[in-house]
Amino acid sequence: LSYRFQRKLYTSFSYSARKYIIFYETYKNYLDRLLDPDLWQGYSLQVSYNPVALLSIGVTGAYRYMPQDPKDSKNLYAYVTYSQIPGIGISSTVSFTMLSTSYIRGNIYSLGISRNFAKNKVSTGLAYRYVDYDYSTEGKIPQNLFEANLTWRIWKRIAVSAYYEGTFEKVHQYNRIYAQLRLGF
């Protein structure tokens, strides 16, 4: 259900009830999830506001539950995006996420920038996230995440992309590099 109160203010509400959802962060195997008779249900409310051209502010709150879970899941996501900053053409987003589930509580603070070049044939992006999670089994594990991406649209329906993500903890460091070739039809 969505409603636009005026050109600048938009809101939406949703309810979902699903079975057989695969969450990689849980400790259940695939068979356990298939045999799970419970229904995962949730509500979500989103409000976004555009006070001036190119500026967007929004908040999304969600509540999800399953009868057998010891604690319901709640999250709140808030963001401010400014598109095409004059003079430099960079779009930027600052966001905050608060998360609470049966096994984790924490916050994510994020800042990202992106820019297009060469008549939108090349797009780039950089992002930093500070993740402050408190796991029920392992305690606090703060993380610093860095992301960089580059996409080059070679021809109308052909594009190549590269993506890097680095996760830095006090003890561990994880690096991921992805490459993608897209062919459109």
Side-chain angles (χ1 to χ4, degrees), residues 26-101:
T26 63
Y27 297 108
K28 290 182 178 182
N29 62 33
Y30 184 70
L31 183 59
D32 289 337
R33 287 188 297 271
L34 286 176
L35 297 174
D36 193 350
D38 291 326
L39 192 63
W40 182 268
Q41 299 178 63
Y43 302 93
S44 176
L45 177 64
Q46 175 186 358
V47 177
S48 60
Y49 180 61
N50 301 88
V52 294
L54 307 177
L55 179 65
S56 179
I57 302 168
V59 176
T60 301
Y63 173 79
R64 294 181 300 276
Y65 61 94
M66 187 181 298
Q68 72 184 36
D69 269 357
K71 189 174 180 185
D72 300 337
S73 296
K74 295 173 245 162
N75 70 309
L76 179 71
Y77 172 73
Y79 69 91
V80 176
T81 298
Y82 194 90
S83 300
Q84 302 298 317
I85 296 172
I88 55 177
I90 291 176
S91 297
S92 65
T93 299
V94 176
S95 68
F96 168 74
T97 304
M98 184 171 54
L99 178 66
S100 175
T101 70

Side-chain angles (χ1 to χ4, degrees), residues 88-180:
I88 55 177
I90 291 176
S91 297
S92 65
T93 299
V94 176
S95 68
F96 168 74
T97 304
M98 184 171 54
L99 178 66
S100 175
T101 70
S102 59
Y103 63 94
I104 192 172
R105 292 179 61 90
N107 301 318
I108 302 172
Y109 307 90
S110 177
L111 170 63
I113 58 173
S114 62
R115 182 153 194 254
N116 293 331
F117 297 95
K119 298 180 183 177
N120 293 328
K121 289 185 183 252
V122 176
S123 62
T124 59
L126 295 171
Y128 168 75
R129 287 185 177 83
Y130 177 73
V131 179
D132 185 21
Y133 281 163
D134 187 359
Y135 293 91
S136 60
T137 57
E138 300 176 36
K140 282 190 170 264
I141 302 178
Q143 298 175 323
N144 292 288
L145 283 81
F146 297 95
E147 297 176 14
N149 64 68
L150 174 68
T151 300
W152 176 31
R153 189 169 41 92
I154 300 168
W155 193 60
K156 294 178 185 179
R157 294 187 173 111
I158 299 174
V160 63
S161 300
Y163 172 83
Y164 166 78
E165 178 185 286
T167 303
F168 303 91
E169 299 174 353
K170 196 172 195 176
V171 177
H172 299 96
Q173 177 179 332
Y174 307 96
N175 295 287
R176 295 169 197 85
I177 297 175
Y178 301 98
Q180 181 181 52

